[in-house]
Structures are given as C-alpha cells and as structure tokens.
Amino acid sequence: MTNQDLQNRLLVLLEEGYTVLAESERFVHQIQRQFRLRRIERGKPGWDTPKIFTLNRWMENFWTELWPEELPASSSLLRWQFLKDSLDEAPLPEPAVPDIDLIDLLDESFEQCLRFAIDPAGGQEAGPLIGWRRQIWRSFDDRLARRGLFHPARLPEKIAHRLTGLERKANRGRMAFVGFEFAGHWEKYLLEELQKKVGAIFFALPAGEAQPSRLVCSDPEQEITELMENLLIAVKENAPHEIAVVLCDSEFYSPAISTRLQDILGEPISGKRAAYNLCPDRNLSAQGLYNAAVLPIRCALGGEKRNDLFTFLRSPYYGSFSPWNRHLSHWDRTWREKGVESGMDSLLEAVRDSAEEIFPDGCSGIRSAIVPFLKVGVKRVSKWAETLRHSWTALQFPVLANELDRITWDNLIRLISEFETVFGETSLSAHEFFDLLTTAASRVTVQKSGFEDAGIQVLGRLDARGLCFNKMFIPGLVSGSFPQPVRSLPLLSSSERPKVVGGTIESQFAFAGHLYANFLAAAPQIVLSRPAARDGEICIPSPFWIEDGEKKIDAVIPWKHRLPAMQRARWVRQSISKIGDSAQIEIAKAFCEPDRSQFQIQPLPAVNRISVTELQSALLCPARYFFRHVLGLEELEEFEPGIPALERGRNVHSILASFVLHATEKIAEGDVEFEGLSDLLKKTITGAIGPRLSHAVWKVELERLIGKPGHPGLLLKWLDAERERMLDGWSWTAVERPFEGLEIDGCQARLNGRLDRIDSHPERGVICWDYKTGRLPRRIEVLDNNDEPQLPAYLLALSRGNVTGAPKANDDCGAGFIELRSAGNMKHQVMFDPAEQHGPFLKEWEKGVGATLNSIFAGDVSPLWLKEGRACEENCPYRGVCGSA
C-alpha cells in the first residue's frame, strides 16, 4: 500500500460523510485539495469542505462544544507567567539559573510528562532536580486551577474522561484515524475511547516498497548543486507541486537550498504561479525585521559596542537613518580612527558635528532610543514595551520591503500585544525583558502566504508523512541527521525518559525507521543523497543508507561544466560570459584577446624627481604606478584589530632613530658606556609610547618591545645584537640620512630617498641598513626580479656620495636589512657585502630601471599580466581596475 492508495481510500470515506483525524496540517491540506479537485471533476460544488482535521484542532473544537468550566492555557506566555511566579517560591538547585531558558525547559518537560502519562509531581527516583520539578509542578498546576485553566497537554486526558461518561455509540458520526503510531499515551487512549463509541477505522501510515536511487557527492555544496540540476530535469516530466524535497537536517540545508532556488528560479511568489514553496522553519526571532526591531535593546545590553551601534544605524528598516547611509558609513571609520570602541556617550560625541549636519536633533534621537535600556533596575513590561514602541515611532520603524516583512511585522505586533496582556504588570530588568521577548518570538513561525498552493514542495522530515508526490528528493541522509540525536530531557528521570518518544537511542531509531518506511510510500521515484564530507570531516552515512548501487557524483564547477539549472543563475551566467563554453571558445578568445592599446596614454609630463617608493611601484607594475602615483588612486585603508602594522612599523623606526641619534652623541661625549644604553633605550621606548598607554593595545606593544624580567623584548634583543657588532668594530655613523637628485643612467628622472642607518668599520668599509618590521624581501626579489629596489638604490647613492652627511664610501660599501618582526624574528641580513664589488650589478640595475621608467613616461602603462604574461600579486588593490580580476 502506498500513500496514494491510502489517500484514495480516505477520499471515499470523506464522500460518505466520515470524519477523519490525522496528525499533521500538511496531510490535512493535501487531502482537502484532492477532495475539492475530485468533486469538481465530477461536476459537484468545489467549495464543500471535507471533515478532516488534525487531532489537536478536533480536540479544541470538541472541548469548546462541551461548554467546559475550565480551559486549556494555550498561550505559552501565560504559562511562563505562572511558572515564573512558581519559581519565586521554590528554591532553585545549583547550578541551574532562574531565567527564561529554565522556564521554557520546565514548560516543555511538563508537556512531555503529561503526553506520555508521567506524573510531573510523582515518581520513585529522588534527586535535587526531579524533586524540585515536582514542587514546581504542584505550585504551577494549582495556579492554573485557580484561574480555571489547565496545561494544554492534558486536553486528550480530559476529553477521554468525558467520553467515558457518555453513552456508548454517542452521536459523533462515523470516524477514521490516520497514523498516530508514535502518539502520546493519552492521545492513543482518547482514540481508543472514540473507537469504542463510534466504531472508528484505524489506518496506519503505509510502509512503502519504492527502490530509491542513492547519490554520494563530495560535499554539501556539490550535493545541493546536483539537487538543483535534478529538480529542473524533474519539472520537465512532472508538475512542480508533484515534486518534493524532504530535509532531514532542515537547519543546515534549508537556508542553502532557499538561496540556490532563489538564484535559479527567482524570488518565491505565492499562488498558482509559485515555482517553489519553502518549509516554514524560520521563526520570528530569525527574521531580519525582528532583529532590527530589538537593535536598540541589543546595543544597550551588548556593552554599547561600536559594531552594535553601527548595525543599528545602517539598518534599512529605520526610515530616519536610511537616507543617510553614506554619511553613517563614515561614522564607523571615524570611530576606528579615533579608537572609540564602546560607550554610548563616547561614540556619539566622536561624531557629534556630523550628526548635527544631517539630523535636526543631532545625536539626541539616537541616544533617546538606546539610553532607556541602559538604566539599571526593573520596570513593568508595559513600560518596556511602551519605550520600545516610542523608539520605533521616533525613528520611523519599520520600512517594509516585501510581503515577508509585512507578515513579520504583523506577528511582532501581535506578540508584543500578548506580551503586555500577560506580563504587563510584571517587573523585569531590560535583560529579562529582551530574553523573554526573544524566546517567545522563537516559538512563532513566520511563513509567506500561498503555502502549498503550487511549486516544488520543500518539506521538513515530519511533514512528509502520508503525503503523495511523483518524485521526491531527500538530501543529507547522514548519521546525526537521520536518526536525530537523543532528545535532551534533563528534568526527566532515567525511568521516565524511555516513555517519551526520542528519549532513548532505541526510541529515536524506531521513529526514524517508521519515517523512512513512510518516505518510501510517498512517491514512486525517490532520490536519496548524502555528502561524503562536511567541513573537512568525513560524514558517516545514516544507518538506513544502503551502499549497494550508490552512485558517486563527480565535483562540478557551474561556469566550467554544462549545468543547465545552475547556469540560470545570474552570477554563473556572468562568469560564463567571460570564459565561454566549448561551443563558443573561439569567439570568447577573440573577444577576450588582450588589447595593449587600452593601456597606451599620452607621454607623461617630465618627472624631475621620483621617490624610491614610487620606483618600486613602477618596477612591480607600470599600471600600478599610473593608478597610484599619476592618478592618485589609493585604496581605502583597512582597519586592523589592535595596532595597524604600518603604525607599528613607523613607531619602531621613530624609536630607533631617536635612540641611535642620542646614544651616538652620548658615546661620543663619553657620558655613557655601551652596556648602559639599555636604560636609555627603555626611556626612549616609554617616552614614545607613554602618551598612548591608556589603550590596552599599546601596553601590550610596550611589553613586546621592552619585554619583562627574564624575557627581553624585541628592541632589547636588537640592542644585544648591535653590541656584538660594535665589539666586532662596527659603529653607528649616521641616522635617517636623505639623498636627492640621484642620477639614473639613461633616464631624465632623478631619485630621492632616505637611509634608515649607516654603519662604518675602519677596515671593512661602510654599510647602510633598512629596518623591516614585516617580512624580509627574498634575495631573488632584490637581486634577480628587481621587485625591491630599496637596497640597490641606497647602495648606488652611498657609493656615489649622494647621501647627505654620510662618510666617504669609495668602493667598500654594502647594504642590508635588519629584521624587526618580533623577539624571535630579529636579525641582520646583509644583501650586499662591503667586501665585494657591486659596480657591474648596479650598472645593470640602472639600465633596467631606466628602461622601465622611460617606457612609462613615454605612455606605456600596460599592466604586468598583459605586458609580461606574469600573474599579478594576489593582494594588488588595482586588480579590478586593470582587468586582471
């Protein structure tokens, strides 16, 4: 028997006037739709509604018809209110915390106990938590009873007891029940009592015999790509609403599949023209509008952080902010530059002038939205809600973008209204108000209209029970997702857990086996799939996965392989338009043929002076020189956590220049011995960093440079290395010495630069040093590729006597780097030994530099990838401008 056979049988019973009770809304909706279509086909009115209900809906209606003296406490907020009052009376066992999470856990635990005939106030086992649960239940149940209420999980029990007192064969009409194999104890008891009264028919959900295909993909991304391709193939043979995707791990797969469907088929629409319908697994607290609504509270409770405030200001849901997005983006840069990371007053004061230019009331509107939630103490919930609504009104919230926003907003308004009704006079702190509201929002499901009308059906694993399709896809069939892990039931004892579905491994496995068998009855064609690995970890197949006959799917790239579904996505089409497929390869080659004429400009004006930094840009790539030093295009500086590397490097250069200069004077005057220079170095470091020690990052930098007892820092280790060189006869001669107008053979431009330090030796000559606080250039970059021109330029200037205040070098001169990255990465790296002759190298170097500069000045600014066919630097800021990206 298949699900289709079951549905056909039920349709006949409904035509005969039976009342059918089922487990899920999805099943009820599908039967109702089939019922209407069948009546229309037979020429009967299509608006007649069949008597098929979920058990929960039927129980609510039945209980209401009895005109009872007590009602179920259906509102979770109302139950939470009573539980909160009960918690105030009962001592809480450690380490539990009396917060909303505990209240929610209590409510869920009581529901499980009542459904499966476990007495919440009884039991043989004794323990702090179980004993405390019993005490809370007695207090909670008593509070409900005094208000004429009871926990809604007791409704099946109460109806069953009412039925027991009614006469046999009560006038309830003929009935049929579908499923309920894993229903709770009282639900099953109720159905048995109904069967006694009306002679109901039971139908078990079928266990199918379909033979599914099994696909193994390399990872979830490849699995979803394969799913998209198969879906578009399937719609050629089936109507979209006859195709289903069942998600065993909805939390992981639903967002990814939603994004892919949107890429390929566009935004989901409602009604008969819908291409797909997603499972309603997104709750209110996960919606963008809700998170924007609580941003004033989140900003206050999160420690008044820069990031939270910036998120608040950039939210598109606030009409007061949206016209000023560009201005507000600059505020974040201002805060970063000023080092303001938190504190509402400090953050707003830093941008006060800008705020007064764009907002009539300056920062006061922003402040008034957040400051009320900063106050310590408690307020009534009604007051918190009023404050939040006032902030929304003042800042023109919300700006709704689409139908989902409208539905979300309506749900939020209803939730706030219910919240005030139930908790209005309850006093809470801002933290408690926020936690309670967010937890309540997490229980509200938000779904667009048009659900199930048409389109490919994306379902949760429980929704597929009893449904009929022509083709069904089930991705993610791996261990941990199917079956699900054992449910966490911390407030149930070890003897109580086995009575709850999913409370043990055996129970979860049995339930998964039932679901899997029902999957096989839902469609004649079923495709199972799983990833071989996820996040670098091997995925273990589900116990229900059969390896015999599985097919391994090779990895594919949407813009490289022929994938009709994925190539509908705009981002893939754009990639293909640049690359071209096999049928268009020749056209693509002609179209993409590099054109050097695009990088030919008029000869540049005569350049009299060029710095070593500008020269390095020219040698790395002519286009980079043109963009940066001719057009003046600079990338927006990225802010780094802590001290930016550039600032750290400048600070070290400044400290060493000052120290060496003063130390040289003192040594020359005989005021200090070299061994005593460490005190002078420490004073120099402290003097340079001292004004900034109010920031923690600079305290760390001070320790990095000086060190601590027994662990010398970077610059003290540098001083030790310098001492060894001095004992070897070297002496500091000059610091921060510039050179100007250095001639380059065959080129009109003259070179300017500055040497960090020059040392001399009575026998070995002179050497200049370049401090490097980052990675040292490799020898091949300096000597062969000519990507690092600093040392050759400095050596040339030193050998020609162009360096101001430098000693006469003659031919005995050299150059090198001093690495100053960390205490463990500190060394002197000689690149040009003074003992060697460097004239021939410098002559060739001059020739290459002159040719490059002359080419650029003549108007050829072709980028490296076009001129030499070499790959560009991966981090070049101009890749997107010159066409290499």
Side-chain angles (χ1 to χ4, degrees):
M1 187 178 186
T2 65
N3 288 354
Q4 186 64 65
D5 298 329
L6 170 65
Q7 290 196 9
N8 290 337
R9 181 74 184 279
L10 293 176
L11 290 171
V12 172
L13 294 179
L14 290 169
E15 287 280 2
E16 295 175 359
Y18 272 76
T19 297
V20 178
L21 301 185
E23 291 184 278
S24 72
E25 290 283 357
R26 291 300 298 261
F27 181 78
V28 169
H29 293 169
Q30 192 171 73
I31 294 291
Q32 288 173 338
R33 183 174 184 273
Q34 296 293 340
F35 181 85
R36 286 192 291 268
L37 291 176
R38 176 174 288 198
R39 290 183 64 84
I40 292 171
E41 289 175 358
R42 296 175 178 178
K44 298 180 180 181
W47 55 79
D48 289 348
T49 303
K51 292 189 290 185
I52 180 170
F53 311 96
T54 63
L55 178 60
N56 288 335
R57 180 66 56 85
W58 181 87
M59 288 191 299
E60 291 171 4
N61 295 339
F62 182 85
W63 188 254
T64 303
E65 291 172 4
L66 293 177
W67 291 88
E69 296 180 355
E70 53 182 355
L71 296 171
S74 301
S75 168
S76 59
L77 284 174
L78 183 60
R79 298 196 300 274
W80 291 352
Q81 171 65 48
F82 289 137
L83 284 169
K84 185 178 186 302
D85 293 340
S86 298
L87 283 174
D88 293 339
E89 298 177 356
L92 189 63
E94 296 182 355
V97 179
D99 56 12
I100 183 56
D101 291 332
L102 180 61
I103 292 174
D104 192 29
L105 177 62
L106 273 169
D107 190 33
E108 181 184 357
S109 299
F110 292 153
E111 178 185 351
Q112 298 302 329
C113 287
L114 296 172
R115 280 195 65 203
F116 295 96
I118 301 169
D119 183 4
Q124 298 298 320
E125 294 187 39
L129 274 180
I130 304 302
W132 175 75
R133 183 203 74 191
R134 296 168 186 160
Q135 183 180 357
I136 292 293
W137 167 255
R138 287 190 286 267
S139 173
F140 172 62
D141 191 41
D142 182 61
R143 291 176 188 277
L144 288 176
R146 290 201 300 266
R147 292 280 296 270
L149 300 171
F150 59 86
H151 198 289
R154 297 185 65 179
L155 188 56
E157 177 188 0
K158 288 186 174 291
I159 293 177
H161 289 156
R162 288 291 186 99
L163 286 175
T164 303
L166 297 177
E167 294 182 5
R168 192 174 182 82
K169 299 291 182 183
N171 186 23
R172 302 304 310 169
R174 294 174 295 177
M175 303 186 74
F177 311 137
V178 184
F180 301 106
E181 290 87 351
F182 289 88
H185 171 87
W186 286 111
E187 292 161 346
K188 289 182 178 179
Y189 182 82
L190 170 61
L191 294 176
E192 290 170 359
E193 287 298 309
L194 283 172
Q195 187 181 30
K196 293 176 185 177
K197 299 295 182 183
V198 300
I201 305 172
F202 269 100
F203 291 97
L205 290 174
E209 298 179 354
Q211 298 299 315
S213 304
R214 297 175 179 84
L215 308 179
V216 181
C217 302
S218 58
D219 55 39
E221 182 178 357
Q222 293 290 336
E223 183 185 17
I224 294 172
T225 297
E226 180 70 14
L227 173 63
M228 295 298 113
E229 298 300 321
N230 288 334
L231 283 176
L232 261 67
I233 293 173
V235 295
K236 296 179 181 179
E237 305 169 354
N238 308 276
H241 70 274
E242 295 174 337
I243 304 169
V245 178
V246 178
L247 307 180
C248 297
D249 185 353
S250 179
E251 183 177 351
F252 178 80
Y253 279 91
S254 184
I257 288 177
S258 173
T259 300
R260 288 293 182 87
L261 286 171
Q262 185 172 322
D263 283 343
I264 295 170
L265 300 176
E267 287 282 353
I269 58 175
S270 60
K272 296 180 180 180
R273 299 179 61 191
Y276 56 95
N277 278 301
L278 303 173
C279 57
D281 62 340
R282 293 195 66 189
N283 55 49
L284 178 59
S285 64
Q287 300 296 328
L289 185 140
Y290 174 82
N291 284 287
V294 296
L295 276 172
I297 314 177
R298 195 186 300 276
C299 185
L301 301 182
E304 308 166 63
K305 298 292 180 60
R306 170 183 58 81
N307 287 340
D308 290 338
L309 180 58
F310 186 57
T311 302
F312 177 40
L313 298 175
R314 289 298 311 276
S315 171
Y317 290 103
Y318 287 88
S320 295
F321 300 148
S322 54
W324 308 103
N325 266 341
R326 290 178 62 85
H327 287 78
L328 297 175
S329 296
H330 293 159
W331 286 15
D332 189 55
R333 188 170 184 85
T334 300
W335 290 327
R336 288 169 178 260
E337 289 175 346
K338 293 183 177 181
V340 184
E341 291 294 329
S342 61
M344 193 56 52
D345 291 336
S346 300
L347 288 165
L348 295 180
E349 180 62 27
V351 294
R352 179 170 54 85
D353 293 341
S354 176
E356 291 175 350
E357 291 178 4
I358 58 179
F359 297 129
D361 55 356
C363 292
S364 61
I366 302 170
R367 186 189 301 273
S368 62
I370 297 172
V371 165
F373 300 101
L374 289 171
K375 297 178 180 177
V376 178
V378 298
K379 293 181 184 178
R380 294 193 305 274
V381 166
S382 58
K383 186 64 177 177
W384 286 124
E386 178 186 345
T387 302
L388 190 58
R389 275 196 295 261
H390 176 75
S391 298
W392 293 343
T393 302
L395 298 176
Q396 301 173 33
F397 177 91
V399 177
L400 303 178
N402 49 40
E403 179 198 14
L404 183 58
D405 281 349
R406 167 56 63 187
I407 295 171
T408 302
W409 176 240
D410 291 342
N411 278 280
L412 178 56
I413 291 299
R414 282 195 294 271
L415 178 63
I416 290 285
S417 178
E418 182 185 1
F419 201 28
E420 284 186 286
T421 301
V422 175
F423 284 94
E425 298 305 311
T426 303
S427 294
L428 300 174
S429 67
H431 271 288
E432 291 172 328
F433 172 77
F434 175 72
D435 291 343
L436 196 60
L437 182 64
T438 301
T439 303
S442 69
R443 289 198 167 199
V444 178
T445 299
V446 176
Q447 176 64 31
K448 288 186 177 181
S449 60
F451 184 60
E452 300 175 33
D453 286 351
I456 298 167
Q457 301 294 300
V458 183
L459 312 171
R461 61 192 182 96
L462 300 182
D463 296 322
R465 293 172 295 174
L467 300 185
C468 296
F469 301 98
N470 284 351
K471 192 159 190 176
M472 190 162 73
F473 298 88
I474 308 176
L477 204 68
V478 297
S479 180
S481 295
F482 196 86
Q484 293 279 306
V486 176
R487 298 175 65 176
S488 175
L489 302 168
L491 297 182
L492 269 64
S493 67
S494 57
S495 62
E496 292 170 340
R497 290 192 189 99
K499 300 178 182 179
V500 178
V501 173
T504 63
I505 296 175
E506 295 78 10
S507 175
Q508 280 289 37
F509 191 87
F511 184 60
H514 170 73
L515 281 180
Y516 183 76
N518 189 231
F519 290 163
L520 300 184
Q525 301 178 68
I526 299 175
V527 179
L528 309 178
S529 64
R530 68 175 178 87
R534 176 173 163 183
D535 297 330
E537 299 290 335
I538 295 176
C539 291
I540 300 174
S542 165
F544 301 95
W545 182 275
I546 299 175
E547 294 186 359
D548 291 345
E550 68 180 14
K551 179 183 178 182
K552 290 183 169 54
I553 304 299
D554 294 331
V556 292
I557 301 173
W559 53 85
K560 182 177 180 182
H561 300 92
R562 182 163 181 79
L563 302 171
M566 285 305 302
Q567 287 165 6
R568 292 168 61 104
R570 184 176 64 177
W571 61 274
V572 178
R573 293 200 308 270
Q574 290 173 344
S575 301
I576 294 173
S577 68
K578 290 187 176 182
I579 299 174
D581 58 27
S582 57
Q584 298 176 323
I585 193 68
E586 294 304 321
I587 299 174
K589 281 184 177 179
F591 179 78
C592 297
E593 187 67 32
D595 183 4
R596 290 190 60 175
S597 65
Q598 295 180 356
F599 294 94
Q600 296 294 321
I601 61 174
Q602 294 294 325
L604 296 175
V607 178
N608 294 327
R609 294 287 189 271
I610 182 172
S611 70
V612 174
T613 301
E614 292 170 337
L615 175 61
Q616 183 176 21
S617 294
L619 295 174
L620 285 172
C621 178
R624 177 185 294 198
Y625 173 83
F626 177 70
F627 292 137
R628 182 174 183 182
H629 301 291
V630 178
L631 297 184
L633 300 180
E634 289 280 355
E635 64 174 327
L636 188 63
E637 182 183 347
E638 289 289 339
F639 287 97
E640 306 171 25
I643 306 171
L646 185 59
E647 185 175 359
R648 181 183 286 112
R650 287 173 178 168
N651 184 63
V652 169
H653 277 70
S654 174
I655 289 172
L656 292 184
S658 176
F659 167 73
V660 172
L661 185 63
H662 287 85
T664 303
E665 293 175 354
K666 288 185 175 295
I667 291 174
E669 294 171 0
D671 290 346
V672 63
E673 294 294 332
F674 185 82
E675 288 75 5
L677 289 178
S678 60
D679 290 337
L680 177 61
L681 178 57
K682 291 177 183 178
K683 290 179 181 178
T684 306
I685 297 171
T686 305
I689 296 180
R692 293 174 282 190
L693 283 180
S694 57
H695 297 285
V697 290
W698 283 103
K699 292 180 181 178
V700 174
E701 178 67 1
L702 181 66
E703 183 175 306
R704 187 181 80 92
L705 299 181
I706 294 179
K708 51 188 177 181
H711 299 280
L714 167 63
L715 295 189
L716 289 185
K717 282 213 168 186
W718 164 83
L719 188 59
D720 284 341
E722 293 293 339
R723 178 176 179 276
E724 294 298 323
R725 289 183 54 78
M726 285 205 172
L727 292 176
D728 194 33
W730 291 97
S731 60
W732 300 329
T733 305
V735 179
E736 294 285 328
R737 293 299 185 181
F739 63 88
E740 296 181 354
L742 178 64
E743 294 185 5
I744 301 173
D745 189 26
C747 181
Q748 292 183 351
R750 299 294 183 264
L751 194 60
N752 295 344
R754 181 181 296 271
L755 283 64
D756 287 339
R757 202 181 83 210
I758 303 172
D759 293 354
S760 63
H761 192 282
E763 299 175 357
R764 301 180 192 175
V766 177
I767 188 170
C768 62
W769 296 106
D770 189 28
Y771 297 137
K772 289 292 184 184
T773 54
R775 179 188 68 85
L776 285 187
R778 295 187 295 272
R779 297 188 70 86
I780 191 173
E781 294 174 317
V782 178
L783 303 178
D784 299 328
N785 298 343
N786 203 14
D787 293 336
E788 299 281 348
Q790 294 94 335
L791 290 189
Y794 299 161
L795 185 62
L796 183 63
L798 192 62
S799 64
R800 290 185 180 174
N802 281 64
V803 181
T804 304
K808 208 65 166 154
N810 299 323
D811 293 331
D812 299 329
C813 57
F817 295 113
I818 300 179
E819 183 180 18
L820 296 166
R821 276 196 293 169
S822 65
N825 290 283
M826 197 292 302
K827 64 181 177 182
H828 293 69
Q829 179 70 53
V830 177
M831 286 286 182
F832 298 94
D833 194 321
E836 299 176 0
Q837 295 296 315
H838 307 297
F841 169 82
L842 293 176
K843 191 171 185 64
E844 287 298 316
W845 182 83
E846 273 191 277
K847 183 178 178 182
V849 167
T852 299
L853 293 178
N854 287 337
S855 175
I856 293 174
F857 298 151
D860 183 2
V861 290
S862 303
L864 191 67
W865 63 268
L866 179 57
K867 191 168 188 176
E868 300 182 16
R870 284 200 285 152
C872 295
E873 278 189 49
E874 195 164 328
N875 60 349
C876 176
Y878 304 105
R879 294 186 67 182
V881 182
C882 76
S884 68

